[in-house]
Amino acid sequence: MTPAPPPSARTGYGSLWRGVPRELGFLLLTMPIAIVGLSVLLSLFWLGVGTIVIYIGFFVLVATFYTARGFGVVELTRLDWAGRPSIPRPVWRKPGAPVSFWRGLVAPFANGHYWLYLLHGAIVNPIVSIFSWTVTIVWTSIALGGLTGWIWQGFIPQGDRNFYLSSTIVDAVFRVNSTFDPVVGDRILEFLLGIVFAVTLPFVTRGLTVIHEAVARGLLGRWPSEALQREVADLSASRGAAVAAEDQALRRLERDLHDGPQQRLIRLQMDIAAAERKLSDDPEAAATLLAEARQQAGDTLEELRALSRGFAPPILQDRGLVAAAESLAARSPIPVTVESSLPPGDRFSPEIERNAYYVLAELAANLAKHSGASSARLFLDRSVDDAGTPWLNVWLTDNGRGGASPVDGHGLRGLEERVRGLRGELVVDSPAGGPTRIGARIPLT
């Protein structure tokens, strides 16, 4: 199934017109803001350079860098408001780096982003803004003036005017002396020009906004190397979370086996040994002990089956996640309704399906143990975010008492670490008194 393109990728003519008000607001304010940035930044910079010999200049230059950063943030925020795709912000401080007054003073000189922000605010943005602001004013004025000129031009005195553009064009093109009323001719020509400029206005505003976006993305955005470092850090954190989740799951399984089936098997062994001793001299007592041993064996088998539900069942491998979720709901002591928007036969990678099933099994176990609910609903669907990344979403809602939260050492905390290990997120919405809504969003890429 091919995902739909994100909203930002749709560039129909109607979509262009819907973006004109925001883009005009961005472009009309661009040059005033750029001129203010030019004046402030250059004044601070040269003041700092000129007074560096008396040490005051050092602090002035630091203020210049932070001011340039502020103007850059304003530009990025305005681009967001104009409807452009968000530009990743730079990493101003490495995670875990110590924070101190002197480090904050020296850091801008060693961070290339501050120099690029200064370059953008003091030189590049003013140049680009003068061009884009001029084109915007001229294009919008011709469009509005041409479409409305026939209303207000009659109130403007003509004086001794003897040049009319319409008659000049007709005389030059057709090599004749025009005889039509040149005033009416100019009104018609201006109206036609107004239509042409109004029709093309969305393309102009979009193109000029894209130019500003491209400049900002190159000078104000995060570097590719920073994105790679962030991805490596996220993958390391995800791997650590996955390892912690697996370790917690194994410890819980070990505890459950020790507290449940192991104790029953010890009791079973003792009952069989007692029956063997009584088999020759007291057959009736031996038969009673064997009956109890058989009951112990049946209870142990049921408990082992219950423990195995946290692992991937064969139905998951054979028929997929939806069928496994329906099987899980059928075994729940609380009525669970399964709702899925996944197409029939839609399959995912074994890792995704196994972990999604584990999340559902843990949520179903918590539902039976702690929720106090009388009914629940389980949702499965897939979605695509604005960046085009497909996600698998699994949710469980119930009408119980609420109050669920991921507390250390409990099941929801382990689920949170497991989902984070897949670069996903666990959402817990469980106010006191209910209802409870818990779900996981897992990326499919």
Side-chain angles (χ1 to χ4, degrees), residues 34 56 63 122 143 196 202-203 219 223 235 284 299 342 353 411 413:
I56 297 177
V196 172
F203 299 100
L219 295 178
W223 296 333
L235 288 176
E284 293 183 1
D299 293 342
L342 301 178
E353 289 187 341
R413 178 65 71 188

Side-chain angles (χ1 to χ4, degrees), residues 88-90 111-113 116 218-219 221-228:
R89 272 48 170 179
N111 190 330
H113 285 297
L116 290 178
L219 295 178
R222 184 186 305 166
W223 296 333
S225 58
E226 291 178 323
L228 181 60

Side-chain angles (χ1 to χ4, degrees), residues 65-66 68-69 92 104 107-109 111-119:
F65 284 124
Y66 281 105
R69 175 177 169 179
W92 297 104
F109 293 92
N111 190 330
H113 285 297
Y114 283 98
W115 291 96
L116 290 178
Y117 271 55
L118 179 60
L119 176 65

Side-chain angles (χ1 to χ4, degrees), residues 174-249:
F174 297 101
R175 301 184 182 279
V176 297
N177 292 322
S178 57
T179 58
F180 59 85
D181 186 350
V183 175
V184 176
D186 273 17
R187 300 279 175 81
I188 296 174
L189 177 61
E190 292 165 358
F191 185 76
L192 293 176
L193 285 175
I195 293 176
V196 172
F197 276 74
V199 169
T200 55
L201 180 63
F203 299 100
V204 174
T205 59
R206 178 60 56 85
L208 295 175
T209 307
V210 168
I211 290 175
H212 279 275
E213 178 196 356
V215 172
R217 193 174 294 275
L219 295 178
L220 306 180
R222 184 186 305 166
W223 296 333
S225 58
E226 291 178 323
L228 181 60
Q229 291 175 357
R230 176 64 61 87
E231 184 176 356
V232 170
D234 290 343
L235 288 176
S236 299
S238 299
R239 183 178 61 183
V243 171
E246 290 292 341
D247 181 69
Q248 184 176 1

Side-chain angles (χ1 to χ4, degrees), residues 8 112-113 119 123 157 170 181 192 194 202 229 237 242 253 255 265 286 293 297 312 320 356 386 391 399 401:
S8 60
H113 285 297
L119 176 65
I123 299 177
V170 170
D181 186 350
L192 293 176
Q229 291 175 357
L253 177 61
R255 184 176 63 252
L265 289 174
D386 292 342
W391 294 76
N399 60 355
R401 65 176 67 94

Side-chain angles (χ1 to χ4, degrees), residues 284-297:
E284 293 183 1
T288 302
L289 290 173
L290 288 175
E292 293 178 357
R294 185 181 65 221
Q295 180 65 34
Q296 289 288 340

Side-chain angles (χ1 to χ4, degrees), residues 262-439:
Q262 180 174 329
Q263 301 301 321
R264 292 185 182 277
L265 289 174
I266 293 174
R267 172 69 183 278
L268 176 62
Q269 183 183 22
M270 294 173 61
D271 288 345
I272 293 176
E276 288 178 346
R277 290 194 298 267
K278 293 180 178 292
L279 191 59
S280 58
D281 55 352
D282 193 354
E284 293 183 1
T288 302
L289 290 173
L290 288 175
E292 293 178 357
R294 185 181 65 221
Q295 180 65 34
Q296 289 288 340
D299 293 342
T300 303
L301 180 60
E302 288 299 323
E303 192 161 357
L304 287 173
R305 286 175 177 171
L307 289 175
S308 68
R309 291 172 187 169
F311 300 94
I315 191 174
L316 179 65
Q317 301 177 358
D318 297 338
R319 298 174 54 190
L321 183 60
V322 176
E326 292 173 346
S327 174
L328 192 66
R331 299 196 305 267
S332 174
I334 296 176
V336 177
T337 303
V338 178
E339 300 179 13
S340 172
S341 63
L342 301 178
D346 196 10
R347 300 299 301 269
F348 308 100
S349 67
E351 179 187 10
I352 296 295
E353 289 187 341
R354 183 175 64 254
N355 282 278
Y357 178 82
Y358 183 91
V359 171
L360 294 178
E362 182 67 22
L363 292 179
N366 289 341
L367 174 71
K369 294 179 182 178
H370 310 297
S371 69
S374 59
S375 64
R377 293 195 299 171
L378 193 154
F379 301 87
L380 297 96
D381 72 341
R382 63 186 301 171
S383 60
V384 179
D385 61 16
D386 292 342
T389 302
W391 294 76
L392 172 65
N393 308 303
V394 293
W395 295 91
L396 185 68
T397 64
D398 64 63
N399 60 355
R401 65 176 67 94
S405 62
V407 180
D408 290 341
H410 290 74
L412 289 181
R413 178 65 71 188
L415 279 186
E416 187 177 50
E417 293 180 350
R418 177 179 289 270
V419 174
R420 190 157 57 92
L422 298 171
R423 294 180 295 118
E425 58 179 348
L426 183 74
V427 180
V428 179
D429 181 14
S430 182
T436 295
R437 183 172 180 263
I438 304 177

